Amino acid sequence: MTNLLFLCATIYAIIGGPSAGKTSIIKELQANGQVIIEESATKIIKRNLDQNIKEPWLKDGFQLEIFTAKLLLETEMLKSCKKPIFIDRGLLDNLVYLEIAGKENSSEYKEIQKKLKELNIENRYAAVFFIEPHGGKDFELEKNEIRRENTQEALLLSKKIKAAYGKYYNLITIPGGMSPGKRAALIQQKIQSLKKPA
């Protein structure tokens, strides 16, 4: 069913480490009339915090919960079969977070792996755009109740996320040091060049 749905629409994944600028780019694309799917993790974290669960990311099943929410959103959007869809983070991110946490042997990790195989993940996205982090003082992070990574942790996640998607896709790199508007415009320009016959 998923493969049939995918034939009707195109998904472009916007990936990268925490605070690289993915969400700002997604908002720019939306302002330009594109269909977007927002990141699921922040909403799930906030919902848990509202329920007085202070560190929801430590719960067993947390990454599977995010993965399932993301997959549901993608599937629902694919059913519309209209415009291209831009997503904030792809479905491989959750495996990376579990690997960082040392949970490669968990039932949660294995369940996500199984679902990714069923989804034929290597063909799910028409293109994957890796958003490079900004350099220097433009990329110095402090932890808060939503963002739990410091600068070094965010850079490590960025590297591992890039490697995870690089196993399946020829990534299109969007450099740091640019405004969200310029990055969004570059993504749209790259898509146009992909559509041109060789």
Side-chain angles (χ1 to χ4, degrees), residues 79-92:
K79 286 178 182 177
S80 66
C81 296
K82 293 179 182 177
K83 298 178 69 174
I85 303 162
F86 293 84
I87 59 168
D88 188 345
R89 293 184 177 273
L91 291 169
L92 285 165

Side-chain angles (χ1 to χ4, degrees), residues 2-173:
T2 303
N3 288 340
L4 289 175
L5 289 173
F6 182 65
L7 291 173
C8 301
T10 303
I11 310 181
Y12 296 106
I14 310 295
I15 67 158
S19 298
K22 300 180 300 297
T23 301
S24 297
I25 293 168
I26 282 284
K27 287 179 178 177
E28 287 287 339
L29 289 166
Q30 185 179 36
N32 292 339
Q34 302 298 329
V35 176
I36 62 113
I37 297 177
E38 295 179 336
E39 183 219 12
S40 300
T42 299
K43 291 178 182 177
I44 291 172
I45 291 171
K46 285 181 177 177
R47 185 172 70 227
N48 277 269
L49 291 173
D50 289 343
Q51 296 170 355
N52 209 30
I53 300 170
K54 299 298 183 186
E55 295 182 310
W57 46 85
L58 299 179
K59 291 192 313 180
D60 288 338
F62 176 71
Q63 292 299 332
L64 181 57
E65 181 181 0
I66 295 171
F67 176 89
T68 303
K70 245 188 309 198
L71 179 56
L72 178 62
L73 283 170
E74 283 191 14
T75 303
E76 289 301 311
M77 292 294 285
L78 281 168
K79 286 178 182 177
S80 66
C81 296
K82 293 179 182 177
K83 298 178 69 174
I85 303 162
F86 293 84
I87 59 168
D88 188 345
R89 293 184 177 273
L91 291 169
L92 285 165
D93 284 48
N94 305 100
L95 286 185
V96 175
Y97 277 87
L98 286 169
E99 288 166 8
I100 290 281
K103 294 183 177 180
E104 297 98 322
N105 295 317
S106 66
S107 59
E108 182 179 14
Y109 188 92
K110 291 173 183 175
E111 179 65 18
I112 293 173
Q113 266 192 327
K114 178 185 174 185
K115 288 182 181 292
L116 288 171
K117 187 174 181 180
E118 291 170 355
L119 290 166
N120 196 17
I121 189 62
E122 64 269 22
N123 294 316
R124 187 164 184 86
Y125 304 126
V128 178
F129 294 91
F130 172 69
I131 311 303
E132 285 192 332
H134 297 293
K137 292 183 178 179
D138 290 333
F139 195 71
E140 291 182 4
L141 308 184
E142 292 183 7
K143 294 184 179 183
N144 58 36
E145 64 176 4
I146 300 296
R147 181 192 297 130
R148 60 193 187 278
E149 299 90 10
N150 60 30
T151 304
Q152 292 307 311
E153 290 166 339
L155 291 172
L156 176 61
L157 274 165
S158 177
K159 181 179 178 181
K160 287 188 172 293
I161 286 169
K162 182 178 183 180
Y165 285 89
K167 292 176 184 177
Y168 301 102
Y169 295 94
N170 292 320
L171 304 181
I172 301 171
T173 299

